[in-house]
Amino acid sequence: MEVIIQPNHHQIASIAANIIRDAILKKPNLVLGLATGSTPIELYKILVRMHRDDGLDFSDVTTFNLDEYVGIPLDHPQSYHTFMAHHFFDHVNIPKANQHIPQNISDNHEEFCASYEEKIVCAGGIDIQILGIGTDGHIGFNEVSSSLASRTRIVTLSQSTLEANAIHFNCDVNAVPQMALTMGIATIMEAKKCLLLACGTSKSQAIAKAIEGPITSMVPASILQMHPNTVTIIDEAASSMLSEVEYYNRSYANMLSL
Ligand code: GLP
């Protein structure tokens, strides 16, 4: 795993945006896996700027979001549909038909989950999957103890996730939906490249466990150690519990000088 440590959030987002821009220039029909949460917001801002100011063309790009709450309407201010429209989709030229976000309106979740997986396969698979990380090491809404072989499915959110996400629901933990639809861990692992982004000391323990700890369903992000092409881009605060910082920095410096 490549680990890139940067001084601040903006630099993390810039590196991720440059990777995505270069990939779109090389393959205009790129398939992007998208994440929500506060971490990727700056990345979306930069991509929007690249579209607006430099003409980066998303017209052939297809996207698949990681997850969505179950039990709130799609147009709820805190739904991930609303989040994506607000931070990204309303500002770039990705055709509506190419934008995929798990739906929370279907009665038949199993059928929906199977069809979501099928759509990813039909699109040729995800080229680049953007990932954030929960303070407990979850990715998407794959909570602690999720099967490392899990596929897209409906899940119950952990107490730690409900508490972390309460900030978006007027700090009322009871207002946070209890359930969500999420791509599975095995689904995420099929992406050709993963970009794991994290910033702040609140993520330092999860990052240390995910990158340097044992691979375990108790830290779902630790499975990325088995992914052949994951780039973890984090700030110094999030890197503060890693033991191999000197090596990661030297390795990145050598990569830049190639
Ligand atoms: C939620 C999302 C995850 C995200 C995590 C961290 O649980 N489902 O995909 O990575 O929050 O969010 P943040 O970036 O706001 O810390």
Side-chain angles (χ1 to χ4, degrees):
M1 186 189 297
E2 192 68 43
V3 181
I4 302 176
I5 302 167
Q6 293 293 298
N8 60 50
H9 194 171
H10 179 74
Q11 276 154 298
I12 294 169
S14 291
I15 292 175
N18 289 344
I19 292 172
I20 292 168
R21 180 201 53 209
D22 293 351
I24 294 174
L25 294 176
K26 223 163 136 187
K27 184 186 178 206
N29 62 345
L30 196 79
V31 181
L32 262 180
L34 300 177
T36 52
S38 53
T39 311
I41 290 177
E42 183 68 14
L43 163 64
Y44 294 138
K45 261 191 203 153
I46 299 174
L47 289 174
V48 166
R49 219 174 296 138
M50 284 174 169
H51 170 66
R52 195 188 55 215
D53 300 343
D54 312 329
L56 182 62
D57 185 11
F58 289 85
S59 63
D60 231 358
V61 167
T62 297
T63 64
F64 289 92
N65 264 77
L66 279 170
D67 47 17
E68 175 59 285
Y69 291 113
V70 168
I72 55 173
L74 298 184
D75 62 357
H76 185 284
Q78 295 308 329
S79 80
Y80 289 167
H81 280 72
T82 303
F83 175 100
M84 289 311 301
H86 179 70
H87 292 289
F88 194 45
F89 292 148
D90 284 353
H91 315 285
V92 291
N93 62 336
I94 301 173
K96 267 236 163 326
N98 291 8
Q99 304 168 6
H100 303 93
I101 306 181
Q103 298 256 4
N104 62 13
I105 48 171
S106 160
D107 280 344
N108 190 339
H109 293 299
E110 268 177 33
E111 195 180 290
F112 171 78
C113 292
S115 77
Y116 201 67
E117 295 262 345
E118 248 171 64
K119 280 185 191 148
I120 295 175
V121 172
C122 288
I126 291 172
D127 291 303
I128 300 181
Q129 175 66 57
I130 300 161
L131 293 169
I133 187 169
T135 50
D136 56 2
H138 74 250
I139 46 176
F141 270 133
N142 292 285
E143 300 287 26
V144 161
S145 87
S146 289
S147 162
L148 299 179
S150 55
R151 312 293 317 188
T152 301
R153 69 204 185 289
I154 192 162
V155 294
T156 294
L157 301 185
S158 70
Q159 189 59 25
S160 133
T161 299
L162 294 175
E163 281 165 17
N165 292 2
I167 191 167
H168 304 296
F169 292 83
N170 296 322
C171 294
D172 177 5
V173 82
N174 297 317
V176 185
Q178 293 267 335
M179 301 187 85
L181 279 168
T182 184
M183 269 188 211
I185 294 180
T187 323
I188 293 169
M189 287 293 283
E190 282 168 9
K192 288 158 205 147
K193 186 184 196 79
C194 290
L195 296 182
L196 174 63
L197 312 179
C199 28
T201 32
S202 66
K203 299 292 171 72
S204 59
Q205 201 177 20
I207 282 293
K209 285 185 178 169
I211 297 176
E212 296 178 343
I215 297 171
T216 165
S217 64
M218 295 309 285
V219 183
S222 64
I223 191 65
L224 293 168
Q225 295 174 30
M226 295 293 291
H227 191 281
N229 191 2
T230 286
V231 182
T232 297
I233 316 173
I234 55 179
D235 68 0
E236 280 157 10
S239 78
S240 59
M241 291 179 79
L242 288 171
S243 63
E244 301 303 318
V245 168
E246 183 278 333
Y247 175 72
Y248 304 137
N249 287 340
R250 203 155 42 81
S251 165
Y252 182 50
N254 283 339
M255 207 170 76
L256 286 180
S257 66
L258 278 181

